[in-house]
Structures are given as structure tokens and as C-alpha cells.
């Protein structure tokens, strides 16, 4: 039995409003508290039938003999309850002190054991970095090193720093608050959910207060990216490859707490690639994409060249290359128009 006395208002600190909210409101904002009720046998005392009360009012209404029978100390339980909410909030959401502003890649070695030919590479939010190189050269290995914030503990011996420092282990190995969101070539859903239910589920896990606003922002953004429109009541298992990728990119940009986004071959996504990248960087993400598409490679702020498993060069996109990009985009637009006409059954 815990005998130490606690003051719940002290624990609440910046969040004293929690004590004044009804159980019903708390359940809506923090659905995970139902687990707390179950673990502490409060559901057996019918707390879910008294949701109009505040948590402290509910505890005050429990008869003394039932407190003794269930070994409940109302004051300690009140403190534990609000502490649970605050700790879960911190667990599910990044603290402001953990905001990622930069990612640094320190050199390792290539497949032959030779040192990579750069000093360090610092990437900042709202930047787009392309990763280019032959198939099998090591592009995916670089993405994996970044995803795991390697500390000379991968085959490349690279080191990844966050905001110029070695990332804390609690951040590095976090399950809920991953630093990196990775969008692979194939996006296959297996859950029996509608698009709306999928977005709402993610919004609830992020403790988003206005879920409907998040749903509308994501579906609107996704339909701007997808070649074919889809609705909120569409089952996610019925989405095409392009629609799935559009949904995941929009969801990642708007709802994901991951500040770094890794994209593998976005040219095969069946979406408006330029709009997708603009959406991601507008939400202050660091975007790295492995690509074979010259237009996408030049659209990036800089490109990392991979050879023999190592970083062979880091190239800033020049003014001349930006001029070439305009030509490539015009050619790409012509190809996309022809593709759309062919799909519609027209003659070229």
C-alpha cells in the first residue's frame, strides 16, 4: 500500500484543467485511460456508468467499505491517474525540446572498406535530397542507416547525428515516436477499414483534438496527388497503388510526428510527384528520396551519389541543372498527357 501523500494539482502543473473535465470528456480526448480504469478495477465499480462526473468526484462517491475491499486510496489514485495521462501524452507526442532541425551524416566505408569521400553532410528541415546510383549500389543501405540513426553499428560504419548530437537512446529506439517515416514502393493495406476510419485511427493515436479537420485536410491533399479521386468511405483495401501512396504521403505530411521522410522510388507511385514533395517540405520535413528519375534528382536541393556501397559524392544542384529541369518537366508533362489520353481510349 502506498502511504505517501500527493497533491494532484502539483502533478498537473501546466494542465490543471484536466481535474475539471468530466470522465466522458477525458475518455474522448485520451481513450487510453480506459486501460487505467480496467487495471485499477474501476470498471468493476461502474466508472463508465458515471462519466458525467469528474474523476475526483467519482472517487469521492465510492463508499468507504468498497475502498477497503478494493484497496483504493482515492488521493493516491487521483495522483496516479493524472500522472498516467501526462506520461502517456509525453510518450505519444514529441516534446518541443526534441524538435529535429538537422540531420548529419558522418562518413563510414564502402563495400571495399575504403573511407567515404566527404567530411560530413548536414541536412535541414524543408530540404529535399535525392539519392542516386546504380541498382544495388547501396541506396537502400543509406536509407536504413538514417532510419536506425546508425552509430557505427551497421555494415557501412556511418554515424547519424540529430541536431548535431548523438540521439538519445529513448528517441533512437522509440516505437511510437520514430524519427523516420519510410514510404516504400509498394503500399498494400490489409486492414478492413474505410479511408475515414484509417485517418481517424491515426489521429486518435496522435491525440489530435480536431479529428474531423485532420480527416478533411488529408483527403483533400491526397486527392490532389492521386491520378484518380477517391472518397472517405472507400475501403483502403480497394485503393489503387497510386491512391494508396497518395493517402500515405498526405497522412505522413500532416499527421506523422516523424520529422524525416525516406522515399524509395517515388517515380513509380502513380501520383503527382512534385506536389507530393512540396506537401512534405511545407510541413517542415527533411525529405530523402532514392530515385532513377533525372527530373526528380534535379528537383532536389542536392544529390547524394552512391557507388560500391558508399557515398562517392555530394552534389549541389547548379543553376544550369535547374534550367535543364524545366526542359525535363515539360517533357514529363507531355508524357503524362499522352498516358492519360491512352488510358481514356483516345488515339495519339
Amino acid at each position: 500500500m502506498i502511504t505517501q501523500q500527493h497533491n494532484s494539482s502539483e502533478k498537473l502543473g501546466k494542465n490543471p484543467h484536466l481535474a475539471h473535465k468530466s470522465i466522458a470528456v477525458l475518455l474522448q480526448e485520451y481513450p487510453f485511460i480506459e486501460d487505467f480504469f480496467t487495471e485499477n478495477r474501476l470498471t468493476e465499480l461502474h466508472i463508465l456508468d458515471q462519466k458525467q462526473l469528474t474523476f475526483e468526484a467519482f472517487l469521492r462517491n465510492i463508499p468507504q467499505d468498497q475502498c477497503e475491499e478494493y484497496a483504493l486510496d482515492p488521493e493516491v489514485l487521483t495522483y496516479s491517474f493524472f500522472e498516467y495521462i501526462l506520461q502517456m501524452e509525453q510518450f505519444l507526442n514529441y516534446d518541443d525540446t526534441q524538435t529535429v532541425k538537422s540531420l548529419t551524416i558522418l562518413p563510414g566505408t564502402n563495400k571495399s572498406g575504403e573511407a567515404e569521400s566527404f567530411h560530413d553532410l548536414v541536412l535541414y528541415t524543408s530540404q529535399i535530397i535525392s539519392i542516386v546510383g546504380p541498382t544495388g549500389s547501396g541506396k537502400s543501405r543509406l536509407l536504413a542507416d538514417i532510419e536506425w540513426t546508425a552509430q557505427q553499428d551497421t555494415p557501412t560504419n556511418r554515424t547519424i547525428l540529430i541536431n548535431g548530437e548523438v540521439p538519445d537512446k529513448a528517441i533512437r529506439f522509440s516505437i511510437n515516436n520514430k524519427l523516420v517515416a519510410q514510404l516504400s514502393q509498394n503500399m498494400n493495406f490489409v486492414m478492413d477499414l474505410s479511408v475515414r476510419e484509417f485517418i481517424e485511427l491515426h489521429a486518435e493515436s496522435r491525440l489530435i483534438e480536431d479529428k474531423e479537420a485532420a480527416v478533411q485536410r488529408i483527403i483533400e491533399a491526397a486527392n490532389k496527388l492521386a491520378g484518380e479521386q477517391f472518397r472517405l468511405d472507400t475501403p483502403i483495401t480497394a485503393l489503387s497503388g497510386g491512391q494508396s501512396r497518395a493517402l500515405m504521403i498526405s497522412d505522413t505530411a500532416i499527421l506523422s510526428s516523424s520529422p524525416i521522410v525516406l522515399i524509395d522510388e517515388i517515380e513509380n507511385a502513380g501520383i503527382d510527384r512534385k506536389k507530393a514533395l512540396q506537401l512534405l517540405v511545407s510541413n517542415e520535413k527533411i525529405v530523402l528520396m532514392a530515385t532513377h528519375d533525372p527530373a526528380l534528382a534535379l528537383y532536389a536541393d542536392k544529390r547524394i551519389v552512391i557507388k560500391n556501397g558508399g557515398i562517392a559524392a555530394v552534389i549541389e544542384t547548379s543553376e544550369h541543372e535547374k534550367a535543364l529541369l524545366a526542359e525535363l518537366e515539360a517533357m514529363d508533362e507531355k508524357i503524362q498527357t499522352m498516358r492519360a489520353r491512352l488510358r481514356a481510349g483516345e488515339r495519339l
Side-chain angles (χ1 to χ4, degrees):
M1 173 69 70
I2 301 175
T3 57
Q4 183 180 356
Q5 299 297 303
H6 299 284
N7 185 326
S8 62
S9 62
E10 289 180 5
K11 178 60 198 173
L12 289 173
K14 298 179 181 178
N15 300 279
H17 60 285
L18 289 177
H20 303 295
K21 293 185 177 183
S22 68
I23 293 168
V25 171
L26 290 174
L27 277 167
Q28 184 176 11
E29 295 180 358
Y30 310 104
F32 54 77
I33 63 174
E34 194 164 345
D35 292 336
F36 181 92
F37 297 157
T38 301
E39 291 171 7
N40 289 277
R41 303 180 65 188
L42 299 181
T43 50
E44 298 176 32
L45 296 172
H46 308 292
I47 188 171
L48 298 180
D49 296 329
Q50 303 177 59
K51 292 188 286 189
Q52 76 281 3
L53 299 176
T54 65
F55 185 73
E56 290 176 294
F58 165 75
L59 292 180
R60 285 197 299 268
N61 287 348
I62 300 176
Q64 182 62 34
D65 59 335
Q66 284 193 320
C67 285
E68 293 175 0
E69 178 184 351
Y70 285 81
L72 299 179
D73 182 326
E75 187 173 354
V76 171
L77 195 59
T78 299
Y79 176 88
S80 300
F81 175 64
F82 292 124
E83 181 179 38
Y84 178 78
I85 291 177
L86 297 177
Q87 287 183 348
M88 283 296 290
E89 256 195 318
Q90 185 176 14
F91 179 66
L92 292 172
N93 294 282
Y94 274 117
D95 200 329
D96 289 341
T97 60
Q98 297 171 346
T99 299
V100 174
K101 297 180 180 178
S102 69
L103 164 74
T104 302
I105 304 172
L106 299 181
T109 56
N110 63 19
K111 292 178 182 178
S112 302
E114 300 166 334
E116 293 181 303
S117 56
F118 70 102
H119 182 261
D120 62 14
L121 175 57
V122 185
L123 313 177
Y124 298 95
T125 54
S126 299
Q127 276 192 329
I128 300 173
I129 310 299
S130 62
I131 304 171
V132 300
T135 299
S137 61
K139 296 189 297 295
S140 295
R141 179 67 262 172
L142 174 59
L143 294 179
D145 283 351
I146 294 169
E147 183 173 18
W148 290 101
T149 52
Q151 299 297 308
Q152 295 185 329
D153 52 4
T154 68
T156 64
N157 293 309
R158 293 187 185 111
T159 299
I160 306 297
L161 306 179
I162 302 298
N163 297 335
E165 299 178 349
V166 175
D168 186 274
K169 288 183 179 180
I171 300 173
R172 187 183 180 198
F173 299 111
S174 170
I175 295 175
N176 269 333
N177 286 322
K178 296 186 71 174
L179 286 170
V180 172
Q182 184 155 359
L183 299 170
S184 62
Q185 294 183 52
N186 300 310
M187 307 297 295
N188 296 316
F189 293 108
V190 295
M191 295 181 290
D192 186 20
L193 297 172
S194 67
V195 171
R196 173 183 287 279
E197 289 169 333
F198 172 80
I199 299 172
E200 286 180 340
L201 192 63
H202 190 191
E204 287 177 4
S205 74
R206 302 305 319 161
L207 302 181
I208 301 299
E209 291 186 7
D210 193 345
K211 288 189 295 184
E212 184 58 30
V215 168
Q216 293 303 322
R217 284 184 65 200
I218 290 171
I219 189 67
E220 182 180 342
N223 275 322
K224 287 180 180 178
L225 304 183
E228 186 179 355
Q229 303 284 290
F230 58 98
R231 305 187 313 179
L232 285 171
D233 59 359
T234 304
I236 58 175
T237 51
L239 297 176
S240 68
Q243 290 170 331
S244 299
R245 184 63 88 79
L247 175 60
M248 289 307 300
I249 287 175
S250 301
D251 182 84
T252 298
I254 295 168
L255 273 187
S256 176
S257 63
S258 301
I260 303 164
V261 179
L262 306 181
I263 306 176
D264 196 5
E265 299 194 17
I266 195 173
E267 58 263 37
N268 299 325
I271 59 172
D272 189 317
R273 303 163 301 176
K274 189 172 180 179
K275 285 183 180 177
L277 294 172
Q278 289 172 340
L279 176 64
L280 289 165
V281 296
S282 69
N283 285 272
E284 298 188 338
K285 307 286 187 183
I286 300 173
V287 180
L288 295 102
M289 57 176 176
T291 184
H292 295 289
D293 188 317
L296 286 174
L298 297 185
Y299 186 67
D301 299 286
K302 60 183 68 176
R303 59 189 181 273
I304 299 172
V305 181
I306 305 291
K307 293 181 181 179
N308 191 32
I311 295 177
V314 179
I315 303 174
E316 298 274 350
T317 304
S318 68
E319 292 301 319
H320 174 66
E321 289 174 329
K322 289 177 182 178
L324 289 176
L325 175 61
E327 295 180 27
L328 290 170
E329 287 181 330
M331 294 168 59
D332 187 58
E333 185 176 352
K334 186 174 182 179
I335 292 171
Q336 295 297 332
T337 300
M338 289 183 178
R339 181 179 290 126
R341 290 178 61 188
L342 284 172
R343 286 176 175 172
E346 299 178 15
R347 290 185 180 274
L348 298 181

